[in-house]
Amino acid sequence: MSSKRNDYITWDEYFMGVAKLSGMRSKDPNTQVGACIVSEDNKILSMGYNGFPKGCSDDEFPWEREGDPLENKYLYTTHSELNAILNYRGGSLEGAKLYVSLFPCNECAKAIIQSGIKTVVYDEDKYKDTPSVMASKRMFDAAGVRYYQYQRTNREVVLKL
Ligand SMILES: O=c1ccn([C@H]2C[C@H](O)[C@@H](COP(=O)(O)O)O2)c(=O)[nH]1
Ligand SMILES: [Zn+2]
């Protein structure tokens, strides 16, 4: 008789993996961010990645990082976390968890708090010294949103697509 597999992925690997897979849809040449929202009982509710809003062509809007604010990406990109929140059409996100490949900026932090998400699991924190991320942490602390860094397992997942 065969016994059950032991090398299945953990919940955290599963949801961070889905977040990162979602980030692979991003057209941003510098930073691709993916997000996955999960219910308290581990059901995937929504996903998102960073990109321009509907109708704003990836080929016409700018991907630059510098220069004229109207000619760089920052005024136009919808962040992965906000896309994941807005993509959810099922009602309340109260008590949900967010898996995200980059620590949320202050604007996403506000949306996360207001949507009722209570836990944020993040991977990279490369902008941790910026006022934006420092403000996010201050707001999460004040609002009782728990956040912790995903503990990488270095498991490699190969998908033949
Ligand atoms: O909370 C966040 C913060 C940033 N993003 C997106 C927005 C941009 O497309 C990139 C950041 O680009 P850089 O070239 O690294 O400045 O990440 C996000 O989705 N969520
Ligand atoms: Zn953001």
Side-chain angles (χ1 to χ4, degrees):
M1 201 178 81
S2 53
S3 53
K4 77 167 190 182
R5 287 176 60 221
N6 287 320
D7 60 345
Y8 53 90
I9 57 174
T10 65
W11 286 121
D12 271 7
E13 285 175 325
Y14 178 33
F15 299 134
M16 188 56 81
V18 169
K20 290 187 176 189
L21 187 66
S22 176
M24 292 175 78
R25 283 280 309 149
S26 175
K27 321 294 185 310
D28 190 317
N30 193 55
T31 304
Q32 303 82 44
V33 188
C36 174
I37 303 177
V38 180
S39 68
E40 287 173 281
D41 61 344
N42 292 324
K43 306 279 191 304
I44 292 177
L45 300 177
S46 189
M47 284 164 278
Y49 58 88
N50 53 325
F52 297 137
K54 278 182 198 156
C56 302
S57 165
D58 295 324
D59 298 315
E60 287 167 22
F61 278 68
W63 286 114
E64 275 70 35
R65 304 182 72 227
E66 284 163 1
D68 178 351
L70 287 174
E71 293 306 325
N72 73 50
K73 66 184 176 183
Y74 293 106
L75 290 179
Y76 305 113
T77 40
T78 307
H79 291 186
S80 71
E81 304 91 314
L82 187 60
N83 269 329
I85 290 168
L86 296 174
N87 285 343
Y88 182 58
R89 299 294 156 90
S92 172
L93 290 173
E94 198 63 45
K97 294 180 281 186
L98 171 78
Y99 286 75
V100 61
S101 58
L102 178 68
F103 199 97
C105 75
N106 62 304
E107 293 299 329
C108 289
K110 293 181 225 174
I112 290 164
I113 292 166
Q114 294 302 82
S115 71
I117 291 170
K118 287 291 179 295
T119 307
V120 173
V121 185
Y122 63 95
D123 183 32
E124 285 186 57
D125 197 8
K126 66 177 177 174
Y127 294 126
K128 63 174 181 301
D129 296 324
T130 63
S132 170
V133 167
M134 288 159 70
S136 295
K137 289 175 183 171
R138 181 174 177 179
M139 288 189 278
F140 285 158
D141 291 340
V145 173
R146 181 174 159 252
Y147 51 92
Y148 65 90
Q149 191 159 33
Y150 172 72
Q151 294 303 305
R152 288 189 183 184
T153 58
N154 288 326
R155 187 198 292 266
E156 286 199 9
V157 178
V158 179
L159 299 174
K160 198 164 186 180
L161 301 171

